[in-house]
Amino acid sequence: MYRSYLFNKIIVTKSGSITTVKIKVSAQNGIDFGTYTLEIKEKSNDASIGNVKVAGKVARKEADGNYVAEVVKTTQVAEVNVEANDFFAVVYLDEVTNNANSITSTKQITDRESEHTITVIAEDGTEETHILRIIRLENNTNIQELTVTLEKEERTEVVDETTGEVSEE
């Protein structure tokens, strides 16, 4: 059995970040056909971080673009979750990835402060690297010193001897 295929080649001109191409496919009988729409999307250059959580709490983004998370002093292990802003980006945490836009990893917290490297690689290869600092906070709630200052307010009250009413002077 001999089959003949006819391929048409076209050049598609880019029109923005999404280019739509209509494709008409004819059946072998030459009568039936189907129409399809193909969307060609430009690769994203978004290598930004969408979310960082440590032990279930959102880490604070600093002015320099790095992140800080605080945990109680007794924390020895913390789950770290990092999500990229773009669905097609790939996230690395301390050079480990699962080739997805998010990663969750359990980190040992042994020092007062530990640093972890977050790298996000966008679909087009654009790369951003940030540092996540995890700080173990003291859990000492003892009051070492308390100063209370009271200011005495001077008031003069006048009592009307006939009515017993009090008024300020």
Side-chain angles (χ1 to χ4, degrees):
M1 178 189 271
Y2 177 78
R3 292 188 182 179
S4 172
Y5 296 99
L6 176 63
F7 294 101
N8 289 327
K9 293 182 182 181
I10 63 168
I11 296 175
V12 177
T13 304
K14 181 180 170 189
S15 59
S17 63
I18 298 177
T19 302
T20 304
V21 179
K22 298 279 187 193
I23 301 171
K24 183 177 178 180
V25 179
S26 298
Q28 203 173 25
N29 65 14
I31 300 169
D32 298 320
F33 68 91
T35 303
Y36 300 91
T37 302
L38 173 66
E39 283 189 354
I40 303 169
K41 295 182 179 181
E42 184 176 328
K43 289 184 177 183
S44 172
N45 65 354
D46 185 356
S48 63
I49 295 173
N51 194 16
V52 177
K53 287 185 180 179
V54 176
K57 296 181 182 174
V58 176
R60 181 177 70 247
K61 186 174 183 178
E62 301 284 281
D64 62 2
N66 293 319
Y67 291 82
V68 175
E70 296 169 337
V71 295
V72 295
K73 184 176 183 164
T74 56
T75 302
Q76 295 178 350
V77 175
E79 184 177 88
V80 177
N81 175 266
V82 181
E83 294 178 6
N85 193 50
D86 184 68
F87 180 78
F88 295 104
V90 176
V91 177
Y92 289 77
L93 180 58
D94 293 331
E95 298 182 6
V96 175
T97 186
N98 58 4
N99 292 315
N101 74 326
S102 67
I103 189 167
T104 300
S105 179
T106 302
K107 296 295 180 184
Q108 296 291 325
I109 312 295
T110 55
D111 297 326
R112 184 187 179 304
E113 188 174 313
S114 61
E115 287 191 355
H116 304 278
T117 304
I118 300 169
T119 302
V120 179
I121 300 176
E123 191 178 17
D124 74 346
T126 301
E127 189 173 314
E128 283 188 22
T129 300
H130 301 279
I131 300 298
L132 166 63
R133 289 183 325 151
I134 301 175
I135 301 171
R136 291 169 71 181
L137 300 176
E138 289 291 330
N139 59 351
N140 181 354
T141 58
N142 296 330
I143 298 174
Q144 294 178 348
E145 182 177 325
L146 177 64
T147 304
V148 177
T149 304
L150 298 175
E151 292 185 21
K152 185 176 180 182
E153 182 180 314
E154 293 189 30
R155 294 178 19 182
T156 305
E157 294 180 347
V158 178
V159 177
D160 186 326
E161 293 181 9
T162 56
T163 63
E165 290 183 1
V166 178
S167 62
E168 287 188 33
E169 196 173 85

Coordinates of all heavy atoms in Angstrom, one line a residue, residues 66-141:
N66 N 16.7 39.4 48.7 CA 16.9 38.2 49.5 C 15.7 38.0 50.5 O 14.9 38.9 50.7 CB 18.2 38.2 50.2 CG 19.3 38.1 49.2 OD1 19.3 37.4 48.2 ND2 20.4 38.9 49.4
Y67 N 15.7 36.8 51.1 CA 14.5 36.4 52.0 C 15.1 36.1 53.4 O 16.1 35.5 53.5 CB 13.8 35.3 51.4 CG 13.0 35.6 50.2 CD1 13.6 35.7 48.9 CD2 11.7 36.0 50.2 CE1 13.0 36.0 47.8 CE2 11.0 36.3 49.1 CZ 11.6 36.4 47.9 OH 10.9 36.7 46.7
V68 N 14.2 36.4 54.4 CA 14.5 36.1 55.8 C 13.3 35.4 56.4 O 12.2 35.8 56.2 CB 14.9 37.3 56.6 CG1 15.0 37.0 58.1 CG2 16.1 38.0 56.0
A69 N 13.6 34.3 57.1 CA 12.5 33.6 57.8 C 13.0 33.4 59.2 O 14.2 33.1 59.5 CB 12.3 32.2 57.2
E70 N 12.1 33.5 60.2 CA 12.5 33.3 61.6 C 11.7 32.1 62.1 O 10.5 32.0 61.9 CB 12.1 34.6 62.3 CG 13.0 35.8 61.9 CD 12.5 37.1 62.4 OE1 11.3 37.2 62.8 OE2 13.3 38.1 62.4
V71 N 12.4 31.3 62.9 CA 11.8 30.1 63.5 C 12.2 30.2 65.0 O 13.2 30.8 65.4 CB 12.3 28.8 62.9 CG1 11.8 28.7 61.4 CG2 13.8 28.6 63.0
V72 N 11.5 29.4 65.8 CA 11.8 29.4 67.3 C 13.1 28.7 67.5 O 13.5 27.8 66.7 CB 10.7 28.8 68.1 CG1 9.4 29.6 68.0 CG2 10.4 27.4 67.7
K73 N 13.8 29.0 68.6 CA 15.1 28.4 68.9 C 15.2 26.9 68.9 O 16.2 26.3 68.5 CB 15.6 29.0 70.2 CG 17.0 28.6 70.5 CD 17.6 29.2 71.7 CE 19.0 28.8 71.9 NZ 19.7 29.6 72.9
T74 N 14.1 26.3 69.3 CA 14.1 24.8 69.4 C 13.9 24.1 68.1 O 14.0 22.9 68.0 CB 13.0 24.4 70.4 OG1 11.7 24.9 69.9 CG2 13.2 24.9 71.8
T75 N 13.7 24.9 67.0 CA 13.5 24.2 65.7 C 14.8 23.6 65.2 O 15.8 24.3 65.2 CB 13.0 25.3 64.7 OG1 11.8 25.9 65.1 CG2 12.8 24.7 63.3
Q76 N 14.7 22.3 64.9 CA 15.9 21.6 64.4 C 15.8 21.2 62.9 O 16.8 21.1 62.2 CB 16.2 20.4 65.3 CG 16.6 20.7 66.7 CD 16.8 19.5 67.5 OE1 16.5 18.4 67.1 NE2 17.3 19.7 68.7
V77 N 14.5 21.1 62.5 CA 14.2 20.7 61.1 C 13.1 21.6 60.6 O 12.1 21.8 61.4 CB 13.8 19.3 61.0 CG1 13.4 18.9 59.6 CG2 14.9 18.4 61.5
A78 N 13.2 22.2 59.4 CA 12.2 23.0 58.9 C 11.9 22.7 57.4 O 12.9 22.4 56.7 CB 12.5 24.5 59.0
E79 N 10.7 22.7 57.1 CA 10.3 22.4 55.7 C 10.3 23.7 54.9 O 9.8 24.7 55.4 CB 8.9 21.8 55.6 CG 8.5 21.5 54.2 CD 7.2 20.8 54.1 OE1 6.2 21.5 54.0 OE2 7.1 19.6 54.2
V80 N 11.1 23.8 53.8 CA 11.2 25.0 53.0 C 10.5 24.8 51.7 O 10.8 23.7 51.0 CB 12.7 25.4 52.8 CG1 12.9 26.6 51.9 CG2 13.4 25.6 54.1
N81 N 9.7 25.7 51.3 CA 8.9 25.6 50.1 C 9.2 26.9 49.3 O 9.0 28.0 49.8 CB 7.4 25.4 50.3 CG 6.7 25.4 49.0 OD1 6.2 26.4 48.6 ND2 6.6 24.3 48.3
V82 N 9.7 26.7 48.0 CA 9.9 27.9 47.2 C 9.1 27.6 45.9 O 9.2 26.6 45.3 CB 11.4 28.0 46.8 CG1 11.6 29.2 46.0 CG2 12.2 28.1 48.1
E83 N 8.4 28.7 45.5 CA 7.6 28.6 44.2 C 8.1 29.8 43.3 O 8.2 30.9 43.8 CB 6.1 28.8 44.5 CG 5.5 27.7 45.3 CD 4.0 27.9 45.6 OE1 3.5 28.9 45.1 OE2 3.5 27.1 46.3
A84 N 8.2 29.5 42.0 CA 8.6 30.5 41.1 C 7.3 31.2 40.7 O 6.2 30.7 40.8 CB 9.2 29.8 39.8
N85 N 7.4 32.4 40.2 CA 6.3 33.2 39.8 C 5.7 32.7 38.5 O 4.5 32.7 38.3 CB 6.7 34.7 39.6 CG 5.6 35.6 39.5 OD1 4.6 35.6 40.3 ND2 5.6 36.4 38.5
D86 N 6.5 32.2 37.6 CA 6.1 31.6 36.3 C 6.0 30.1 36.4 O 6.9 29.4 36.9 CB 7.1 32.1 35.2 CG 6.6 31.6 33.8 OD1 5.6 32.2 33.4 OD2 7.2 30.7 33.3
F87 N 4.9 29.6 35.8 CA 4.7 28.2 35.8 C 5.7 27.4 35.1 O 6.1 26.2 35.5 CB 3.3 27.9 35.1 CG 2.9 26.4 35.1 CD1 2.5 25.8 36.3 CD2 3.1 25.7 34.0 CE1 2.2 24.4 36.3 CE2 2.8 24.3 33.9 CZ 2.3 23.7 35.1
F88 N 6.4 27.9 34.1 CA 7.4 27.2 33.3 C 8.8 27.4 33.7 O 9.7 26.8 33.1 CB 7.2 27.6 31.8 CG 5.9 27.1 31.2 CD1 4.9 28.1 31.0 CD2 5.6 25.8 31.0 CE1 3.7 27.7 30.5 CE2 4.4 25.4 30.5 CZ 3.4 26.3 30.2
A89 N 9.0 28.1 34.8 CA 10.3 28.3 35.4 C 10.7 27.1 36.2 O 9.9 26.3 36.6 CB 10.4 29.6 36.2
V90 N 12.0 26.9 36.5 CA 12.5 25.8 37.3 C 13.2 26.4 38.5 O 14.0 27.3 38.4 CB 13.5 24.9 36.4 CG1 14.1 23.8 37.3 CG2 12.8 24.3 35.2
V91 N 12.9 25.8 39.7 CA 13.4 26.3 40.9 C 14.5 25.3 41.5 O 14.3 24.1 41.4 CB 12.3 26.5 42.0 CG1 12.9 26.9 43.3 CG2 11.3 27.4 41.5
Y92 N 15.6 25.9 41.9 CA 16.7 25.1 42.6 C 16.8 25.6 44.0 O 16.7 26.9 44.3 CB 18.0 25.3 41.9 CG 18.1 24.7 40.6 CD1 17.6 25.3 39.4 CD2 18.9 23.5 40.4 CE1 17.7 24.7 38.2 CE2 19.0 22.9 39.2 CZ 18.4 23.5 38.1 OH 18.6 22.9 36.8
L93 N 16.9 24.7 45.0 CA 17.2 25.1 46.4 C 18.4 24.4 46.8 O 18.5 23.2 46.8 CB 16.0 24.7 47.3 CG 16.1 25.0 48.8 CD1 16.3 26.5 49.0 CD2 14.9 24.5 49.5
D94 N 19.5 25.2 47.0 CA 20.8 24.6 47.3 C 21.3 23.7 46.3 O 21.7 22.5 46.5 CB 20.8 24.0 48.7 CG 20.7 25.0 49.8 OD1 21.1 26.1 49.7 OD2 20.1 24.6 50.9
E95 N 21.1 24.1 45.0 CA 21.5 23.3 43.8 C 20.8 22.0 43.6 O 21.2 21.2 42.8 CB 23.0 23.1 43.8 CG 23.8 24.4 43.8 CD 25.3 24.2 43.8 OE1 25.8 23.0 43.7 OE2 26.1 25.1 43.9
V96 N 19.6 21.8 44.3 CA 18.8 20.7 44.1 C 17.5 21.1 43.4 O 16.9 22.1 43.8 CB 18.5 19.9 45.4 CG1 17.5 18.8 45.2 CG2 19.8 19.5 46.1
T97 N 17.0 20.3 42.4 CA 15.8 20.7 41.8 C 15.0 19.4 41.5 O 15.5 18.3 41.5 CB 16.0 21.5 40.5 OG1 14.7 21.9 39.9 CG2 16.7 20.6 39.4
N98 N 13.7 19.6 41.3 CA 12.9 18.5 40.8 C 12.3 18.9 39.4 O 11.3 18.3 39.0 CB 11.7 18.1 41.8 CG 10.8 19.3 42.1 OD1 11.0 20.4 41.5 ND2 9.9 19.1 43.0
N99 N 13.0 19.8 38.7 CA 12.7 20.3 37.4 C 11.2 20.8 37.3 O 10.5 20.5 36.3 CB 12.9 19.2 36.3 CG 14.4 19.0 36.2 OD1 15.2 19.9 36.1 ND2 14.8 17.7 36.2
A100 N 10.8 21.5 38.3 CA 9.4 22.1 38.3 C 9.5 23.5 38.8 O 10.6 24.0 39.2 CB 8.5 21.3 39.2
N101 N 8.4 24.2 38.8 CA 8.3 25.6 39.2 C 8.2 25.7 40.7 O 8.1 26.9 41.2 CB 7.2 26.3 38.5 CG 5.8 26.0 39.1 OD1 5.6 24.9 39.5 ND2 4.9 27.0 39.1
S102 N 8.3 24.6 41.5 CA 8.4 24.7 42.9 C 9.2 23.6 43.5 O 9.4 22.6 42.8 CB 7.0 24.7 43.5 OG 6.4 23.4 43.3
I103 N 9.7 23.8 44.7 CA 10.4 22.7 45.3 C 10.2 22.8 46.8 O 10.0 23.9 47.4 CB 12.0 22.8 45.1 CG1 12.7 21.5 45.6 CG2 12.6 24.0 45.6 CD1 14.1 21.4 45.1
T104 N 10.0 21.6 47.5 CA 9.9 21.5 48.9 C 11.0 20.6 49.4 O 11.2 19.5 48.9 CB 8.5 21.0 49.3 OG1 7.5 21.8 48.7 CG2 8.3 20.9 50.8
S105 N 11.7 21.1 50.4 CA 12.8 20.4 51.0 C 12.9 20.6 52.5 O 12.6 21.6 53.0 CB 14.1 20.9 50.3 OG 15.2 20.2 50.8
T106 N 13.3 19.5 53.2 CA 13.5 19.6 54.6 C 14.9 20.0 54.9 O 15.8 19.3 54.4 CB 13.1 18.2 55.3 OG1 11.8 17.9 54.9 CG2 13.3 18.3 56.8
K107 N 15.1 21.0 55.7 CA 16.4 21.5 56.0 C 16.7 21.4 57.5 O 15.9 21.7 58.3 CB 16.6 23.0 55.6 CG 16.4 23.3 54.1 CD 17.6 22.6 53.4 CE 17.5 22.9 51.9 NZ 18.5 22.1 51.2
Q108 N 18.0 21.0 57.8 CA 18.4 20.9 59.2 C 18.8 22.3 59.6 O 19.5 23.0 58.9 CB 19.7 20.0 59.3 CG 19.4 18.5 58.9 CD 18.5 17.8 59.9 OE1 18.6 18.1 61.1 NE2 17.7 16.9 59.4
I109 N 18.3 22.7 60.8 CA 18.6 24.0 61.4 C 19.4 23.8 62.6 O 18.9 23.4 63.7 CB 17.3 24.8 61.7 CG1 16.3 24.7 60.6 CG2 17.6 26.2 62.2 CD1 16.7 25.4 59.3
T110 N 20.8 23.9 62.5 CA 21.6 23.6 63.6 C 22.3 24.9 64.2 O 22.6 24.9 65.4 CB 22.8 22.7 63.2 OG1 23.4 23.2 62.0 CG2 22.2 21.3 62.8
D111 N 22.5 25.9 63.4 CA 23.1 27.1 63.8 C 22.1 28.2 64.1 O 20.9 28.0 63.7 CB 24.1 27.6 62.8 CG 25.2 26.7 62.5 OD1 25.7 26.0 63.5 OD2 25.7 26.6 61.4
R112 N 22.5 29.3 64.7 CA 21.6 30.4 65.0 C 21.0 30.9 63.7 O 19.9 31.4 63.5 CB 22.3 31.5 65.8 CG 21.3 32.6 66.1 CD 22.0 33.8 66.7 NE 21.1 34.9 67.1 CZ 20.4 35.6 66.3 NH1 20.2 35.2 65.0 NH2 19.7 36.6 66.7
E113 N 21.9 30.9 62.6 CA 21.5 31.4 61.3 C 22.0 30.5 60.2 O 23.2 30.1 60.3 CB 22.0 32.8 61.1 CG 21.6 33.5 59.9 CD 22.0 35.0 59.8 OE1 21.9 35.7 60.8 OE2 22.5 35.4 58.8
S114 N 21.2 30.2 59.3 CA 21.7 29.3 58.2 C 21.2 30.0 56.8 O 20.2 30.7 56.8 CB 21.1 27.9 58.2 OG 19.7 27.9 58.2
E115 N 22.1 29.8 55.8 CA 21.8 30.4 54.5 C 21.6 29.3 53.5 O 22.3 28.3 53.5 CB 22.9 31.3 54.1 CG 23.0 32.6 54.8 CD 23.9 33.6 54.2 OE1 24.7 33.3 53.2 OE2 24.0 34.8 54.7
H116 N 20.6 29.6 52.6 CA 20.3 28.6 51.5 C 20.2 29.4 50.2 O 19.6 30.5 50.2 CB 19.0 27.9 51.9 CG 19.1 27.2 53.2 ND1 19.7 25.9 53.3 CD2 18.7 27.5 54.4 CE1 19.6 25.6 54.6 NE2 19.0 26.5 55.3
T117 N 20.7 28.9 49.2 CA 20.6 29.5 47.9 C 19.4 29.1 47.1 O 19.2 27.9 46.9 CB 21.9 29.2 47.1 OG1 23.1 29.6 47.9 CG2 22.0 29.9 45.8
I118 N 18.7 30.1 46.6 CA 17.5 29.8 45.7 C 17.9 30.4 44.3 O 18.3 31.5 44.2 CB 16.3 30.6 46.2 CG1 15.9 30.1 47.6 CG2 15.1 30.4 45.3 CD1 14.8 31.0 48.3
T119 N 17.7 29.5 43.3 CA 18.0 29.9 41.9 C 16.7 29.6 41.1 O 16.2 28.5 41.3 CB 19.2 29.2 41.3 OG1 20.3 29.5 42.1 CG2 19.5 29.7 39.9
V120 N 16.3 30.5 40.4 CA 15.1 30.3 39.5 C 15.6 30.5 38.0 O 16.2 31.6 37.7 CB 13.9 31.3 39.8 CG1 12.8 31.0 38.8 CG2 13.5 31.1 41.2
I121 N 15.3 29.6 37.2 CA 15.7 29.7 35.8 C 14.4 29.7 34.9 O 13.6 28.8 35.0 CB 16.6 28.5 35.3 CG1 17.9 28.5 36.2 CG2 16.9 28.6 33.8 CD1 18.8 27.3 35.9
A122 N 14.3 30.8 34.2 CA 13.1 31.1 33.4 C 13.1 30.2 32.2 O 14.2 29.6 31.8 CB 13.0 32.5 33.0
E123 N 12.0 30.1 31.5 CA 11.9 29.3 30.3 C 12.9 29.6 29.2 O 13.4 28.7 28.5 CB 10.4 29.4 29.8 CG 10.0 28.5 28.7 CD 8.5 28.7 28.3 OE1 8.0 29.8 28.6 OE2 8.0 27.8 27.7
D124 N 13.2 30.9 29.1 CA 14.2 31.3 28.1 C 15.6 31.3 28.6 O 16.5 31.7 27.8 CB 13.8 32.7 27.6 CG 14.2 33.8 28.6 OD1 14.5 33.5 29.7 OD2 14.2 35.0 28.1
G125 N 15.9 30.8 29.8 CA 17.2 30.7 30.3 C 17.6 31.8 31.2 O 18.7 31.7 31.9
T126 N 16.8 32.9 31.4 CA 17.1 33.9 32.3 C 17.2 33.4 33.7 O 16.4 32.5 34.1 CB 16.0 35.0 32.2 OG1 15.9 35.5 30.9 CG2 16.3 36.2 33.2
E127 N 18.2 33.8 34.5 CA 18.4 33.2 35.8 C 18.5 34.3 36.9 O 19.1 35.3 36.7 CB 19.8 32.4 35.7 CG 20.1 31.6 36.9 CD 21.3 30.7 36.7 OE1 21.4 30.1 35.6 OE2 22.2 30.7 37.6
E128 N 17.9 34.0 38.0 CA 18.0 34.9 39.2 C 18.4 34.0 40.4 O 17.8 32.9 40.6 CB 16.7 35.6 39.5 CG 16.3 36.7 38.6 CD 15.1 37.5 39.1 OE1 14.8 37.4 40.3 OE2 14.5 38.2 38.2
T129 N 19.3 34.5 41.2 CA 19.7 33.8 42.4 C 19.5 34.7 43.6 O 19.8 35.9 43.6 CB 21.2 33.4 42.3 OG1 21.3 32.5 41.2 CG2 21.6 32.7 43.6
H130 N 18.9 34.2 44.7 CA 18.7 34.9 45.9 C 19.1 34.0 47.1 O 19.2 32.8 47.0 CB 17.2 35.2 46.1 CG 16.7 36.1 45.0 ND1 16.8 37.4 44.9 CD2 16.0 35.7 43.8 CE1 16.3 37.9 43.8 NE2 15.8 36.9 43.1
I131 N 19.3 34.6 48.3 CA 19.6 33.9 49.5 C 18.4 33.9 50.4 O 17.8 34.9 50.6 CB 20.8 34.6 50.2 CG1 22.1 34.7 49.3 CG2 21.2 34.0 51.5 CD1 22.6 33.3 48.9
L132 N 18.2 32.8 51.0 CA 17.2 32.6 52.1 C 18.0 32.4 53.4 O 18.8 31.5 53.5 CB 16.3 31.4 51.9 CG 15.5 31.0 53.0 CD1 14.5 32.0 53.4 CD2 14.7 29.7 52.7
R133 N 17.8 33.4 54.3 CA 18.4 33.2 55.7 C 17.3 32.8 56.6 O 16.3 33.4 56.7 CB 19.0 34.6 56.2 CG 20.2 35.0 55.4 CD 20.8 36.3 56.0 NE 19.7 37.2 56.4 CZ 19.8 38.0 57.4 NH1 21.0 38.2 58.1 NH2 18.8 38.8 57.8
I134 N 17.6 31.7 57.3 CA 16.7 31.2 58.4 C 17.4 31.5 59.7 O 18.5 31.1 60.0 CB 16.5 29.7 58.2 CG1 15.9 29.4 56.9 CG2 15.6 29.2 59.4 CD1 15.7 27.9 56.6
I135 N 16.7 32.3 60.6 CA 17.2 32.7 61.8 C 16.4 32.0 63.0 O 15.2 32.1 63.0 CB 17.2 34.2 62.0 CG1 17.9 34.9 60.8 CG2 17.7 34.7 63.3 CD1 17.7 36.4 60.7
R136 N 17.2 31.4 63.9 CA 16.5 30.8 65.1 C 16.5 31.9 66.1 O 17.5 32.5 66.6 CB 17.4 29.6 65.6 CG 17.3 28.5 64.6 CD 18.3 27.4 65.0 NE 17.9 26.7 66.2 CZ 18.6 25.7 66.8 NH1 19.7 25.4 66.2 NH2 18.2 25.2 67.9
L137 N 15.2 32.2 66.6 CA 15.0 33.2 67.6 C 15.1 32.7 69.0 O 14.8 31.6 69.3 CB 13.6 33.9 67.4 CG 13.4 34.5 66.0 CD1 11.9 35.0 66.0 CD2 14.3 35.7 65.8
E138 N 15.6 33.5 69.9 CA 15.6 33.2 71.3 C 14.2 33.0 71.8 O 13.3 33.7 71.4 CB 16.3 34.3 72.1 CG 17.8 34.4 71.9 CD 18.5 33.2 72.5 OE1 18.1 32.6 73.5 OE2 19.6 32.9 71.9
N139 N 14.0 32.1 72.7 CA 12.6 31.9 73.3 C 12.6 32.3 74.7 O 11.7 31.8 75.5 CB 12.2 30.4 73.1 CG 13.1 29.4 73.7 OD1 14.2 29.8 74.2 ND2 12.7 28.1 73.7
N140 N 13.5 33.1 75.2 CA 13.5 33.6 76.6 C 12.5 34.7 76.7 O 12.6 35.7 76.2 CB 14.9 34.1 76.9 CG 15.1 34.6 78.3 OD1 14.1 34.6 79.0 ND2 16.3 35.0 78.7
T141 N 11.5 34.4 77.5 CA 10.4 35.4 77.8 C 10.5 36.0 79.2 O 9.6 36.6 79.7 CB 9.0 34.7 77.6 OG1 8.9 33.6 78.5 CG2 8.8 34.3 76.2

